[in-house]
Amino acid sequence: MNRRRLMQRYHYRAQCRPDLDPEVYFRDALPELRDHMRECEASNLSLFRSGAGLFLYYESTAGHVDPHALFRHCEEALEAWPGEDVPRRWVPMMDIFHYQTPVSEEHWLRKNASALPYARIARLKPEQVSSYVYYHYQYQEEKPGDGDKYGIIALHENLMFFYSEAPATLEQPPYQGKLSTAGTPNDWSAAMLPHFVPWNAETEPPLIWQSIPMIIRA
């Protein structure tokens, strides 16, 4: 009997060494990365940067795919990140919101070859993290499919990474949300604004979500 392969989504942070240009380095490393992706059955990989900070997104149906295996030829470019017995170059970010959950390979196929990944980052006030997650889980389960099918927000510490694709894929998911309530605020922007640490605290209007450039796609 054939087992249905479920699509898994991955998002990680890393810190590039200050003496390297990540755009040049990772573009030069792209051919070998593609070989590793074939070995690990990873797909739809995008790497973004904000200064020396790196934000990684990819997908796979092969079970757990470790970013250290994908980027094993790039370890010298990355700072070690403490927190476990073995120092890591990539630290996982947690999925705290998504417009849809993949239910099969077929459901998750891209139908628009011209769609391009893009990303933004934002900072939460530490005391507002639980409120932000609460509101977003409510929204996610009350209104599944309300935005880009591939849009997802991941969190590490108080830093959020929003991955999406443009033009947006807007379609209803093949499942119902887990909540039958209607608690999502009508004025979503006003409800969200108190949660953030703006990037431009000295000027108005506040810059909440900062776009970051993609440096490689594979």
Side-chain angles (χ1 to χ4, degrees), residues 6 29 32 38 40-42 46 66 71 79 87 93 112-113 117 130 133 139 141 143 145 155 185-186 191 195 200 204:
L6 295 180
E32 194 166 349
R38 282 190 289 270
C40 297
E41 299 183 58
S46 300
D66 192 329
F71 288 91
E79 301 280 10
M93 304 187 78
N112 185 353
S130 59
V133 172
Y139 176 26
E141 300 303 329
K143 300 183 177 183
L155 174 72
N186 291 325
H195 292 78
N200 60 338
E204 292 291 339

mmCIF file with all atom_site columns, all heavy atoms in Angstrom, residues 6 29 32 38 40-42 46 66 71 79 87 93 112-113 117 130 133 139 141 143 145 155 185-186 191 195 200 204:
data_model
loop_
_atom_site.group_PDB
_atom_site.id
_atom_site.type_symbol
_atom_site.label_atom_id
_atom_site.label_alt_id
_atom_site.label_comp_id
_atom_site.label_asym_id
_atom_site.label_entity_id
_atom_site.label_seq_id
_atom_site.pdbx_PDB_ins_code
_atom_site.Cartn_x
_atom_site.Cartn_y
_atom_site.Cartn_z
_atom_site.occupancy
_atom_site.B_iso_or_equiv
_atom_site.pdbx_formal_charge
_atom_site.auth_seq_id
_atom_site.auth_comp_id
_atom_site.auth_asym_id
_atom_site.auth_atom_id
_atom_site.pdbx_PDB_model_num
ATOM 1   N N   . LEU A 1 6   ? 3.611   13.500 3.040   1.00 0.00 ? 6   LEU A N   1
ATOM 2   C CA  . LEU A 1 6   ? 3.178   14.799 3.524   1.00 0.00 ? 6   LEU A CA  1
ATOM 3   C C   . LEU A 1 6   ? 4.281   15.831 3.357   1.00 0.00 ? 6   LEU A C   1
ATOM 4   O O   . LEU A 1 6   ? 5.459   15.543 3.608   1.00 0.00 ? 6   LEU A O   1
ATOM 5   C CB  . LEU A 1 6   ? 2.767   14.705 4.995   1.00 0.00 ? 6   LEU A CB  1
ATOM 6   C CG  . LEU A 1 6   ? 1.535   13.842 5.297   1.00 0.00 ? 6   LEU A CG  1
ATOM 7   C CD1 . LEU A 1 6   ? 1.259   13.836 6.786   1.00 0.00 ? 6   LEU A CD1 1
ATOM 8   C CD2 . LEU A 1 6   ? 0.317   14.354 4.526   1.00 0.00 ? 6   LEU A CD2 1
ATOM 9   N N   . ALA A 1 29  ? 27.998  29.262 -3.933  1.00 0.00 ? 29  ALA A N   1
ATOM 10  C CA  . ALA A 1 29  ? 27.772  27.932 -3.353  1.00 0.00 ? 29  ALA A CA  1
ATOM 11  C C   . ALA A 1 29  ? 26.524  27.254 -3.903  1.00 0.00 ? 29  ALA A C   1
ATOM 12  O O   . ALA A 1 29  ? 26.231  26.106 -3.550  1.00 0.00 ? 29  ALA A O   1
ATOM 13  C CB  . ALA A 1 29  ? 27.652  28.048 -1.832  1.00 0.00 ? 29  ALA A CB  1
ATOM 14  N N   . GLU A 1 32  ? 26.517  23.448 -5.675  1.00 0.00 ? 32  GLU A N   1
ATOM 15  C CA  . GLU A 1 32  ? 26.644  22.329 -4.741  1.00 0.00 ? 32  GLU A CA  1
ATOM 16  C C   . GLU A 1 32  ? 25.400  22.195 -3.863  1.00 0.00 ? 32  GLU A C   1
ATOM 17  O O   . GLU A 1 32  ? 24.981  21.083 -3.526  1.00 0.00 ? 32  GLU A O   1
ATOM 18  C CB  . GLU A 1 32  ? 27.888  22.500 -3.873  1.00 0.00 ? 32  GLU A CB  1
ATOM 19  C CG  . GLU A 1 32  ? 28.271  21.234 -3.119  1.00 0.00 ? 32  GLU A CG  1
ATOM 20  C CD  . GLU A 1 32  ? 29.667  21.288 -2.526  1.00 0.00 ? 32  GLU A CD  1
ATOM 21  O OE1 . GLU A 1 32  ? 30.431  22.215 -2.874  1.00 0.00 ? 32  GLU A OE1 1
ATOM 22  O OE2 . GLU A 1 32  ? 29.988  20.397 -1.719  1.00 0.00 ? 32  GLU A OE2 1
ATOM 23  N N   . ARG A 1 38  ? 18.930  17.672 -4.039  1.00 0.00 ? 38  ARG A N   1
ATOM 24  C CA  . ARG A 1 38  ? 18.475  16.444 -4.718  1.00 0.00 ? 38  ARG A CA  1
ATOM 25  C C   . ARG A 1 38  ? 18.683  15.230 -3.815  1.00 0.00 ? 38  ARG A C   1
ATOM 26  O O   . ARG A 1 38  ? 17.811  14.358 -3.724  1.00 0.00 ? 38  ARG A O   1
ATOM 27  C CB  . ARG A 1 38  ? 19.211  16.286 -6.047  1.00 0.00 ? 38  ARG A CB  1
ATOM 28  C CG  . ARG A 1 38  ? 18.678  17.184 -7.158  1.00 0.00 ? 38  ARG A CG  1
ATOM 29  C CD  . ARG A 1 38  ? 19.269  16.824 -8.494  1.00 0.00 ? 38  ARG A CD  1
ATOM 30  N NE  . ARG A 1 38  ? 20.665  17.196 -8.592  1.00 0.00 ? 38  ARG A NE  1
ATOM 31  C CZ  . ARG A 1 38  ? 21.097  18.391 -9.036  1.00 0.00 ? 38  ARG A CZ  1
ATOM 32  N NH1 . ARG A 1 38  ? 20.230  19.303 -9.431  1.00 0.00 ? 38  ARG A NH1 1
ATOM 33  N NH2 . ARG A 1 38  ? 22.380  18.662 -9.096  1.00 0.00 ? 38  ARG A NH2 1
ATOM 34  N N   . CYS A 1 40  ? 18.715  15.152 -0.551  1.00 0.00 ? 40  CYS A N   1
ATOM 35  C CA  . CYS A 1 40  ? 17.837  15.216 0.624   1.00 0.00 ? 40  CYS A CA  1
ATOM 36  C C   . CYS A 1 40  ? 16.366  15.356 0.254   1.00 0.00 ? 40  CYS A C   1
ATOM 37  O O   . CYS A 1 40  ? 15.512  15.369 1.151   1.00 0.00 ? 40  CYS A O   1
ATOM 38  C CB  . CYS A 1 40  ? 18.240  16.401 1.497   1.00 0.00 ? 40  CYS A CB  1
ATOM 39  S SG  . CYS A 1 40  ? 19.913  16.290 2.178   1.00 0.00 ? 40  CYS A SG  1
ATOM 40  N N   . GLU A 1 41  ? 16.069  15.476 -1.032  1.00 0.00 ? 41  GLU A N   1
ATOM 41  C CA  . GLU A 1 41  ? 14.698  15.661 -1.515  1.00 0.00 ? 41  GLU A CA  1
ATOM 42  C C   . GLU A 1 41  ? 14.075  16.942 -0.972  1.00 0.00 ? 41  GLU A C   1
ATOM 43  O O   . GLU A 1 41  ? 12.908  16.966 -0.566  1.00 0.00 ? 41  GLU A O   1
ATOM 44  C CB  . GLU A 1 41  ? 13.822  14.451 -1.178  1.00 0.00 ? 41  GLU A CB  1
ATOM 45  C CG  . GLU A 1 41  ? 14.294  13.150 -1.809  1.00 0.00 ? 41  GLU A CG  1
ATOM 46  C CD  . GLU A 1 41  ? 13.352  12.004 -1.506  1.00 0.00 ? 41  GLU A CD  1
ATOM 47  O OE1 . GLU A 1 41  ? 12.158  12.106 -1.847  1.00 0.00 ? 41  GLU A OE1 1
ATOM 48  O OE2 . GLU A 1 41  ? 13.820  11.014 -0.915  1.00 0.00 ? 41  GLU A OE2 1
ATOM 49  N N   . ALA A 1 42  ? 14.847  18.020 -0.961  1.00 0.00 ? 42  ALA A N   1
ATOM 50  C CA  . ALA A 1 42  ? 14.345  19.333 -0.566  1.00 0.00 ? 42  ALA A CA  1
ATOM 51  C C   . ALA A 1 42  ? 13.963  20.123 -1.809  1.00 0.00 ? 42  ALA A C   1
ATOM 52  O O   . ALA A 1 42  ? 14.513  19.913 -2.888  1.00 0.00 ? 42  ALA A O   1
ATOM 53  C CB  . ALA A 1 42  ? 15.398  20.087 0.238   1.00 0.00 ? 42  ALA A CB  1
ATOM 54  N N   . SER A 1 46  ? 14.512  29.077 -0.490  1.00 0.00 ? 46  SER A N   1
ATOM 55  C CA  . SER A 1 46  ? 14.848  30.487 -0.656  1.00 0.00 ? 46  SER A CA  1
ATOM 56  C C   . SER A 1 46  ? 15.653  30.930 0.555   1.00 0.00 ? 46  SER A C   1
ATOM 57  O O   . SER A 1 46  ? 15.347  30.550 1.686   1.00 0.00 ? 46  SER A O   1
ATOM 58  C CB  . SER A 1 46  ? 13.595  31.352 -0.767  1.00 0.00 ? 46  SER A CB  1
ATOM 59  O OG  . SER A 1 46  ? 12.814  30.978 -1.877  1.00 0.00 ? 46  SER A OG  1
ATOM 60  N N   . ASP A 1 66  ? 17.655  18.206 7.512   1.00 0.00 ? 66  ASP A N   1
ATOM 61  C CA  . ASP A 1 66  ? 18.468  19.096 8.329   1.00 0.00 ? 66  ASP A CA  1
ATOM 62  C C   . ASP A 1 66  ? 19.155  20.140 7.442   1.00 0.00 ? 66  ASP A C   1
ATOM 63  O O   . ASP A 1 66  ? 19.808  19.782 6.465   1.00 0.00 ? 66  ASP A O   1
ATOM 64  C CB  . ASP A 1 66  ? 19.522  18.266 9.069   1.00 0.00 ? 66  ASP A CB  1
ATOM 65  C CG  . ASP A 1 66  ? 20.218  19.055 10.170  1.00 0.00 ? 66  ASP A CG  1
ATOM 66  O OD1 . ASP A 1 66  ? 20.375  20.279 10.040  1.00 0.00 ? 66  ASP A OD1 1
ATOM 67  O OD2 . ASP A 1 66  ? 20.629  18.423 11.164  1.00 0.00 ? 66  ASP A OD2 1
ATOM 68  N N   . PHE A 1 71  ? 23.545  22.620 3.702   1.00 0.00 ? 71  PHE A N   1
ATOM 69  C CA  . PHE A 1 71  ? 24.586  23.649 3.627   1.00 0.00 ? 71  PHE A CA  1
ATOM 70  C C   . PHE A 1 71  ? 25.897  23.176 4.260   1.00 0.00 ? 71  PHE A C   1
ATOM 71  O O   . PHE A 1 71  ? 26.655  23.987 4.783   1.00 0.00 ? 71  PHE A O   1
ATOM 72  C CB  . PHE A 1 71  ? 24.106  24.923 4.321   1.00 0.00 ? 71  PHE A CB  1
ATOM 73  C CG  . PHE A 1 71  ? 23.044  25.670 3.552   1.00 0.00 ? 71  PHE A CG  1
ATOM 74  C CD1 . PHE A 1 71  ? 21.699  25.407 3.775   1.00 0.00 ? 71  PHE A CD1 1
ATOM 75  C CD2 . PHE A 1 71  ? 23.386  26.622 2.605   1.00 0.00 ? 71  PHE A CD2 1
ATOM 76  C CE1 . PHE A 1 71  ? 20.711  26.085 3.074   1.00 0.00 ? 71  PHE A CE1 1
ATOM 77  C CE2 . PHE A 1 71  ? 22.410  27.310 1.897   1.00 0.00 ? 71  PHE A CE2 1
ATOM 78  C CZ  . PHE A 1 71  ? 21.071  27.045 2.127   1.00 0.00 ? 71  PHE A CZ  1
ATOM 79  N N   . GLU A 1 79  ? 28.386  31.747 11.678  1.00 0.00 ? 79  GLU A N   1
ATOM 80  C CA  . GLU A 1 79  ? 28.763  31.765 13.091  1.00 0.00 ? 79  GLU A CA  1
ATOM 81  C C   . GLU A 1 79  ? 28.120  30.581 13.812  1.00 0.00 ? 79  GLU A C   1
ATOM 82  O O   . GLU A 1 79  ? 27.023  30.136 13.447  1.00 0.00 ? 79  GLU A O   1
ATOM 83  C CB  . GLU A 1 79  ? 28.283  33.064 13.745  1.00 0.00 ? 79  GLU A CB  1
ATOM 84  C CG  . GLU A 1 79  ? 28.836  34.332 13.127  1.00 0.00 ? 79  GLU A CG  1
ATOM 85  C CD  . GLU A 1 79  ? 30.245  34.645 13.587  1.00 0.00 ? 79  GLU A CD  1
ATOM 86  O OE1 . GLU A 1 79  ? 30.877  33.784 14.242  1.00 0.00 ? 79  GLU A OE1 1
ATOM 87  O OE2 . GLU A 1 79  ? 30.714  35.751 13.300  1.00 0.00 ? 79  GLU A OE2 1
ATOM 88  N N   . PRO A 1 87  ? 27.298  22.986 18.898  1.00 0.00 ? 87  PRO A N   1
ATOM 89  C CA  . PRO A 1 87  ? 26.948  24.300 18.338  1.00 0.00 ? 87  PRO A CA  1
ATOM 90  C C   . PRO A 1 87  ? 26.308  24.154 16.960  1.00 0.00 ? 87  PRO A C   1
ATOM 91  O O   . PRO A 1 87  ? 26.704  23.318 16.150  1.00 0.00 ? 87  PRO A O   1
ATOM 92  C CB  . PRO A 1 87  ? 28.297  25.015 18.252  1.00 0.00 ? 87  PRO A CB  1
ATOM 93  C CG  . PRO A 1 87  ? 29.156  24.345 19.267  1.00 0.00 ? 87  PRO A CG  1
ATOM 94  C CD  . PRO A 1 87  ? 28.723  22.917 19.261  1.00 0.00 ? 87  PRO A CD  1
ATOM 95  N N   . MET A 1 93  ? 13.088  28.111 13.503  1.00 0.00 ? 93  MET A N   1
ATOM 96  C CA  . MET A 1 93  ? 12.049  29.076 13.833  1.00 0.00 ? 93  MET A CA  1
ATOM 97  C C   . MET A 1 93  ? 10.717  28.327 13.900  1.00 0.00 ? 93  MET A C   1
ATOM 98  O O   . MET A 1 93  ? 10.514  27.344 13.188  1.00 0.00 ? 93  MET A O   1
ATOM 99  C CB  . MET A 1 93  ? 11.998  30.197 12.798  1.00 0.00 ? 93  MET A CB  1
ATOM 100 C CG  . MET A 1 93  ? 13.325  30.924 12.620  1.00 0.00 ? 93  MET A CG  1
ATOM 101 S SD  . MET A 1 93  ? 13.212  32.395 11.546  1.00 0.00 ? 93  MET A SD  1
ATOM 102 C CE  . MET A 1 93  ? 12.468  33.586 12.667  1.00 0.00 ? 93  MET A CE  1
ATOM 103 N N   . ASN A 1 112 ? 1.441   28.489 -10.471 1.00 0.00 ? 112 ASN A N   1
ATOM 104 C CA  . ASN A 1 112 ? 1.861   29.714 -11.141 1.00 0.00 ? 112 ASN A CA  1
ATOM 105 C C   . ASN A 1 112 ? 3.382   29.767 -11.156 1.00 0.00 ? 112 ASN A C   1
ATOM 106 O O   . ASN A 1 112 ? 4.014   30.111 -10.157 1.00 0.00 ? 112 ASN A O   1
ATOM 107 C CB  . ASN A 1 112 ? 1.284   30.938 -10.432 1.00 0.00 ? 112 ASN A CB  1
ATOM 108 C CG  . ASN A 1 112 ? 1.587   32.230 -11.161 1.00 0.00 ? 112 ASN A CG  1
ATOM 109 O OD1 . ASN A 1 112 ? 2.348   32.252 -12.135 1.00 0.00 ? 112 ASN A OD1 1
ATOM 110 N ND2 . ASN A 1 112 ? 1.002   33.328 -10.704 1.00 0.00 ? 112 ASN A ND2 1
ATOM 111 N N   . ALA A 1 113 ? 3.976   29.429 -12.296 1.00 0.00 ? 113 ALA A N   1
ATOM 112 C CA  . ALA A 1 113 ? 5.432   29.373 -12.398 1.00 0.00 ? 113 ALA A CA  1
ATOM 113 C C   . ALA A 1 113 ? 6.075   30.747 -12.269 1.00 0.00 ? 113 ALA A C   1
ATOM 114 O O   . ALA A 1 113 ? 7.280   30.853 -12.000 1.00 0.00 ? 113 ALA A O   1
ATOM 115 C CB  . ALA A 1 113 ? 5.829   28.732 -13.731 1.00 0.00 ? 113 ALA A CB  1
ATOM 116 N N   . PRO A 1 117 ? 9.148   34.140 -4.476  1.00 0.00 ? 117 PRO A N   1
ATOM 117 C CA  . PRO A 1 117 ? 9.185   34.260 -3.024  1.00 0.00 ? 117 PRO A CA  1
ATOM 118 C C   . PRO A 1 117 ? 9.589   35.668 -2.598  1.00 0.00 ? 117 PRO A C   1
ATOM 119 O O   . PRO A 1 117 ? 10.371  36.337 -3.280  1.00 0.00 ? 117 PRO A O   1
ATOM 120 C CB  . PRO A 1 117 ? 10.256  33.246 -2.604  1.00 0.00 ? 117 PRO A CB  1
ATOM 121 C CG  . PRO A 1 117 ? 10.418  32.336 -3.772  1.00 0.00 ? 117 PRO A CG  1
ATOM 122 C CD  . PRO A 1 117 ? 10.148  33.168 -4.971  1.00 0.00 ? 117 PRO A CD  1
ATOM 123 N N   . SER A 1 130 ? 2.639   36.232 23.552  1.00 0.00 ? 130 SER A N   1
ATOM 124 C CA  . SER A 1 130 ? 1.514   35.305 23.754  1.00 0.00 ? 130 SER A CA  1
ATOM 125 C C   . SER A 1 130 ? 0.232   35.865 23.141  1.00 0.00 ? 130 SER A C   1
ATOM 126 O O   . SER A 1 130 ? -0.567  35.127 22.549  1.00 0.00 ? 130 SER A O   1
ATOM 127 C CB  . SER A 1 130 ? 1.312   35.019 25.239  1.00 0.00 ? 130 SER A CB  1
ATOM 128 O OG  . SER A 1 130 ? 1.050   36.209 25.960  1.00 0.00 ? 130 SER A OG  1
ATOM 129 N N   . VAL A 1 133 ? 0.424   35.435 19.283  1.00 0.00 ? 133 VAL A N   1
ATOM 130 C CA  . VAL A 1 133 ? 0.198   34.045 18.887  1.00 0.00 ? 133 VAL A CA  1
ATOM 131 C C   . VAL A 1 133 ? -1.274  33.675 19.061  1.00 0.00 ? 133 VAL A C   1
ATOM 132 O O   . VAL A 1 133 ? -1.868  33.006 18.204  1.00 0.00 ? 133 VAL A O   1
ATOM 133 C CB  . VAL A 1 133 ? 1.104   33.098 19.705  1.00 0.00 ? 133 VAL A CB  1
ATOM 134 C CG1 . VAL A 1 133 ? 0.738   31.640 19.452  1.00 0.00 ? 133 VAL A CG1 1
ATOM 135 C CG2 . VAL A 1 133 ? 2.571   33.338 19.352  1.00 0.00 ? 133 VAL A CG2 1
ATOM 136 N N   . TYR A 1 139 ? -7.217  33.606 14.091  1.00 0.00 ? 139 TYR A N   1
ATOM 137 C CA  . TYR A 1 139 ? -7.404  34.006 12.693  1.00 0.00 ? 139 TYR A CA  1
ATOM 138 C C   . TYR A 1 139 ? -7.158  32.828 11.743  1.00 0.00 ? 139 TYR A C   1
ATOM 139 O O   . TYR A 1 139 ? -7.947  32.567 10.820  1.00 0.00 ? 139 TYR A O   1
ATOM 140 C CB  . TYR A 1 139 ? -6.451  35.168 12.406  1.00 0.00 ? 139 TYR A CB  1
ATOM 141 C CG  . TYR A 1 139 ? -6.416  35.679 10.983  1.00 0.00 ? 139 TYR A CG  1
ATOM 142 C CD1 . TYR A 1 139 ? -7.496  35.558 10.112  1.00 0.00 ? 139 TYR A CD1 1
ATOM 143 C CD2 . TYR A 1 139 ? -5.276  36.323 10.514  1.00 0.00 ? 139 TYR A CD2 1
ATOM 144 C CE1 . TYR A 1 139 ? -7.437  36.053 8.813   1.00 0.00 ? 139 TYR A CE1 1
ATOM 145 C CE2 . TYR A 1 139 ? -5.211  36.825 9.226   1.00 0.00 ? 139 TYR A CE2 1
ATOM 146 C CZ  . TYR A 1 139 ? -6.292  36.683 8.382   1.00 0.00 ? 139 TYR A CZ  1
ATOM 147 O OH  . TYR A 1 139 ? -6.229  37.164 7.105   1.00 0.00 ? 139 TYR A OH  1
ATOM 148 N N   . GLU A 1 141 ? -7.437  29.633 12.218  1.00 0.00 ? 141 GLU A N   1
ATOM 149 C CA  . GLU A 1 141 ? -8.431  28.562 12.281  1.00 0.00 ? 141 GLU A CA  1
ATOM 150 C C   . GLU A 1 141 ? -9.859  29.036 12.026  1.00 0.00 ? 141 GLU A C   1
ATOM 151 O O   . GLU A 1 141 ? -10.727 28.232 11.702  1.00 0.00 ? 141 GLU A O   1
ATOM 152 C CB  . GLU A 1 141 ? -8.340  27.845 13.627  1.00 0.00 ? 141 GLU A CB  1
ATOM 153 C CG  . GLU A 1 141 ? -6.979  27.202 13.880  1.00 0.00 ? 141 GLU A CG  1
ATOM 154 C CD  . GLU A 1 141 ? -6.585  26.198 12.795  1.00 0.00 ? 141 GLU A CD  1
ATOM 155 O OE1 . GLU A 1 141 ? -7.487  25.570 12.206  1.00 0.00 ? 141 GLU A OE1 1
ATOM 156 O OE2 . GLU A 1 141 ? -5.387  26.050 12.529  1.00 0.00 ? 141 GLU A OE2 1
ATOM 157 N N   . LYS A 1 143 ? -10.412 31.589 9.731   1.00 0.00 ? 143 LYS A N   1
ATOM 158 C CA  . LYS A 1 143 ? -10.438 32.028 8.329   1.00 0.00 ? 143 LYS A CA  1
ATOM 159 C C   . LYS A 1 143 ? -9.329  31.366 7.514   1.00 0.00 ? 143 LYS A C   1
ATOM 160 O O   . LYS A 1 143 ? -8.505  32.056 6.910   1.00 0.00 ? 143 LYS A O   1
ATOM 161 C CB  . LYS A 1 143 ? -10.308 33.544 8.265   1.00 0.00 ? 143 LYS A CB  1
ATOM 162 C CG  . LYS A 1 143 ? -11.419 34.300 8.973   1.00 0.00 ? 143 LYS A CG  1
ATOM 163 C CD  . LYS A 1 143 ? -11.253 35.801 8.791   1.00 0.00 ? 143 LYS A CD  1
ATOM 164 C CE  . LYS A 1 143 ? -12.397 36.556 9.427   1.00 0.00 ? 143 LYS A CE  1
ATOM 165 N NZ  . LYS A 1 143 ? -12.287 38.027 9.198   1.00 0.00 ? 143 LYS A NZ  1
ATOM 166 N N   . GLY A 1 145 ? -7.196  30.030 4.546   1.00 0.00 ? 145 GLY A N   1
ATOM 167 C CA  . GLY A 1 145 ? -7.223  30.398 3.142   1.00 0.00 ? 145 GLY A CA  1
ATOM 168 C C   . GLY A 1 145 ? -7.499  31.864 2.896   1.00 0.00 ? 145 GLY A C   1
ATOM 169 O O   . GLY A 1 145 ? -7.783  32.259 1.764   1.00 0.00 ? 145 GLY A O   1
ATOM 170 N N   . LEU A 1 155 ? 8.685   32.252 14.088  1.00 0.00 ? 155 LEU A N   1
ATOM 171 C CA  . LEU A 1 155 ? 9.186   33.052 15.212  1.00 0.00 ? 155 LEU A CA  1
ATOM 172 C C   . LEU A 1 155 ? 10.413  32.393 15.830  1.00 0.00 ? 155 LEU A C   1
ATOM 173 O O   . LEU A 1 155 ? 10.447  31.180 16.043  1.00 0.00 ? 155 LEU A O   1
ATOM 174 C CB  . LEU A 1 155 ? 8.082   33.173 16.274  1.00 0.00 ? 155 LEU A CB  1
ATOM 175 C CG  . LEU A 1 155 ? 8.439   33.855 17.591  1.00 0.00 ? 155 LEU A CG  1
ATOM 176 C CD1 . LEU A 1 155 ? 8.606   35.358 17.388  1.00 0.00 ? 155 LEU A CD1 1
ATOM 177 C CD2 . LEU A 1 155 ? 7.348   33.585 18.644  1.00 0.00 ? 155 LEU A CD2 1
ATOM 178 N N   . PRO A 1 185 ? -10.469 40.135 15.219  1.00 0.00 ? 185 PRO A N   1
ATOM 179 C CA  . PRO A 1 185 ? -10.848 41.563 15.216  1.00 0.00 ? 185 PRO A CA  1
ATOM 180 C C   . PRO A 1 185 ? -11.170 42.069 13.813  1.00 0.00 ? 185 PRO A C   1
ATOM 181 O O   . PRO A 1 185 ? -10.479 41.723 12.848  1.00 0.00 ? 185 PRO A O   1
ATOM 182 C CB  . PRO A 1 185 ? -9.612  42.260 15.786  1.00 0.00 ? 185 PRO A CB  1
ATOM 183 C CG  . PRO A 1 185 ? -8.899  41.201 16.564  1.00 0.00 ? 185 PRO A CG  1
ATOM 184 C CD  . PRO A 1 185 ? -9.153  39.917 15.844  1.00 0.00 ? 185 PRO A CD  1
ATOM 185 N N   . ASN A 1 186 ? -12.192 42.903 13.702  1.00 0.00 ? 186 ASN A N   1
ATOM 186 C CA  . ASN A 1 186 ? -12.542 43.497 12.416  1.00 0.00 ? 186 ASN A CA  1
ATOM 187 C C   . ASN A 1 186 ? -11.464 44.457 11.942  1.00 0.00 ? 186 ASN A C   1
ATOM 188 O O   . ASN A 1 186 ? -11.112 44.477 10.765  1.00 0.00 ? 186 ASN A O   1
ATOM 189 C CB  . ASN A 1 186 ? -13.889 44.223 12.519  1.00 0.00 ? 186 ASN A CB  1
ATOM 190 C CG  . ASN A 1 186 ? -15.050 43.261 12.698  1.00 0.00 ? 186 ASN A CG  1
ATOM 191 O OD1 . ASN A 1 186 ? -15.033 42.160 12.148  1.00 0.00 ? 186 ASN A OD1 1
ATOM 192 N ND2 . ASN A 1 186 ? -16.051 43.671 13.464  1.00 0.00 ? 186 ASN A ND2 1
ATOM 193 N N   . ALA A 1 191 ? -5.574  46.253 15.952  1.00 0.00 ? 191 ALA A N   1
ATOM 194 C CA  . ALA A 1 191 ? -5.377  45.262 17.011  1.00 0.00 ? 191 ALA A CA  1
ATOM 195 C C   . ALA A 1 191 ? -3.925  44.791 17.076  1.00 0.00 ? 191 ALA A C   1
ATOM 196 O O   . ALA A 1 191 ? -3.413  44.467 18.147  1.00 0.00 ? 191 ALA A O   1
ATOM 197 C CB  . ALA A 1 191 ? -6.304  44.071 16.793  1.00 0.00 ? 191 ALA A CB  1
ATOM 198 N N   . HIS A 1 195 ? 1.514   45.339 19.350  1.00 0.00 ? 195 HIS A N   1
ATOM 199 C CA  . HIS A 1 195 ? 2.357   44.167 19.589  1.00 0.00 ? 195 HIS A CA  1
ATOM 200 C C   . HIS A 1 195 ? 3.808   44.372 19.155  1.00 0.00 ? 195 HIS A C   1
ATOM 201 O O   . HIS A 1 195 ? 4.692   43.613 19.577  1.00 0.00 ? 195 HIS A O   1
ATOM 202 C CB  . HIS A 1 195 ? 1.798   42.948 18.840  1.00 0.00 ? 195 HIS A CB  1
ATOM 203 C CG  . HIS A 1 195 ? 0.495   42.451 19.367  1.00 0.00 ? 195 HIS A CG  1
ATOM 204 N ND1 . HIS A 1 195 ? -0.714  43.060 19.101  1.00 0.00 ? 195 HIS A ND1 1
ATOM 205 C CD2 . HIS A 1 195 ? 0.189   41.397 20.180  1.00 0.00 ? 195 HIS A CD2 1
ATOM 206 C CE1 . HIS A 1 195 ? -1.688  42.403 19.700  1.00 0.00 ? 195 HIS A CE1 1
ATOM 207 N NE2 . HIS A 1 195 ? -1.173  41.394 20.359  1.00 0.00 ? 195 HIS A NE2 1
ATOM 208 N N   . ASN A 1 200 ? 11.521  51.885 12.826  1.00 0.00 ? 200 ASN A N   1
ATOM 209 C CA  . ASN A 1 200 ? 11.810  53.313 12.720  1.00 0.00 ? 200 ASN A CA  1
ATOM 210 C C   . ASN A 1 200 ? 11.101  54.065 13.839  1.00 0.00 ? 200 ASN A C   1
ATOM 211 O O   . ASN A 1 200 ? 10.217  54.878 13.597  1.00 0.00 ? 200 ASN A O   1
ATOM 212 C CB  . ASN A 1 200 ? 11.350  53.850 11.360  1.00 0.00 ? 200 ASN A CB  1
ATOM 213 C CG  . ASN A 1 200 ? 9.848   53.657 11.144  1.00 0.00 ? 200 ASN A CG  1
ATOM 214 O OD1 . ASN A 1 200 ? 9.240   52.800 11.778  1.00 0.00 ? 200 ASN A OD1 1
ATOM 215 N ND2 . ASN A 1 200 ? 9.251   54.466 10.279  1.00 0.00 ? 200 ASN A ND2 1
ATOM 216 N N   . GLU A 1 204 ? 7.226   58.623 11.690  1.00 0.00 ? 204 GLU A N   1
ATOM 217 C CA  . GLU A 1 204 ? 5.875   58.124 11.434  1.00 0.00 ? 204 GLU A CA  1
ATOM 218 C C   . GLU A 1 204 ? 5.646   58.038 9.931   1.00 0.00 ? 204 GLU A C   1
ATOM 219 O O   . GLU A 1 204 ? 6.181   58.849 9.188   1.00 0.00 ? 204 GLU A O   1
ATOM 220 C CB  . GLU A 1 204 ? 4.835   59.058 12.067  1.00 0.00 ? 204 GLU A CB  1
ATOM 221 C CG  . GLU A 1 204 ? 4.836   59.056 13.595  1.00 0.00 ? 204 GLU A CG  1
ATOM 222 C CD  . GLU A 1 204 ? 4.329   57.743 14.185  1.00 0.00 ? 204 GLU A CD  1
ATOM 223 O OE1 . GLU A 1 204 ? 3.628   56.998 13.468  1.00 0.00 ? 204 GLU A OE1 1
ATOM 224 O OE2 . GLU A 1 204 ? 4.645   57.468 15.352  1.00 0.00 ? 204 GLU A OE2 1
#
